[in-house]
Amino acid sequence: MKRELVMDETVLSQRCALATAEDAAVAQDLIDTLESLEDCACLAANQIGVTKAVVVWMDADRTPHVMYNPKLLFGVGAQRTVEGCLTREEPSKVRRFGKIKVNYDELVDGELKHRKRDFLGWEAQMIQHMIDHCNGKLV
């Protein structure tokens, strides 16, 4: 179900609780909401008012990908950039890594399975942005 975006900093600044397999409906709401927005590539659950660590991003082919409980393990190639956010009015100056390694869970056959993966470039930047959202960090 498409959800309204939350602009309330009280909600956005809360650290998200760990997600479970029962949060699959939240992931679907994120996908539906993301697909309804123009020029949007990623969303975290707190941006639709749910303080659970669930995030979704679209790849270059507009295929959605879901992560539960993402954690940044490390990053290399730090650089300063300016980044926009759907739930912030002004762009922010941030430091992002060009390559990252992330631990996360993926829903497979109704159960969360642990994964570890490297990301580069634009995907790495989006995932870092969403991990910040999960940690209650206002970009």
Side-chain angles (χ1 to χ4, degrees), residues 78-84 91-97 125 128-129 132 137-139:
Q79 55 190 351
R80 303 287 283 160
T81 189
V82 176
E83 201 169 83
S92 300
K93 292 179 182 177
V94 295
R95 186 184 86 170
R96 297 290 185 222
F97 298 106
Q125 184 176 350
Q128 288 168 85
H129 182 100
D132 282 350
K137 183 176 177 186
L138 299 174
V139 176

Side-chain angles (χ1 to χ4, degrees), residues 42-93:
C42 62
L43 274 177
N46 62 354
Q47 291 180 282
I48 61 168
V50 180
T51 54
K52 289 289 194 136
V54 183
V55 301
V56 173
W57 85 96
M58 298 280 194
D59 64 22
D61 296 324
R62 297 287 299 165
T63 301
H65 301 272
V66 178
M67 286 182 170
Y68 296 80
N69 309 314
K71 298 271 189 266
L72 180 66
L73 294 177
F74 70 86
V76 295
Q79 55 190 351
R80 303 287 283 160
T81 189
V82 176
E83 201 169 83
C85 180
L86 289 171
T87 51
R88 304 281 297 173
E89 292 192 22
E90 297 295 323
S92 300
K93 292 179 182 177

Side-chain angles (χ1 to χ4, degrees), residues 7-55:
M7 306 298 272
D8 184 348
E9 289 188 5
T10 304
V11 174
L12 297 172
S13 64
Q14 290 179 28
R15 181 176 288 276
C16 292
L18 290 177
T20 67
E22 287 74 37
D23 293 311
V26 174
Q28 187 59 56
D29 287 352
L30 282 168
I31 292 169
D32 294 344
T33 304
L34 187 57
E35 288 176 340
S36 76
L37 299 168
E38 286 186 39
D39 300 323
C40 178
C42 62
L43 274 177
N46 62 354
Q47 291 180 282
I48 61 168
V50 180
T51 54
K52 289 289 194 136
V54 183
V55 301

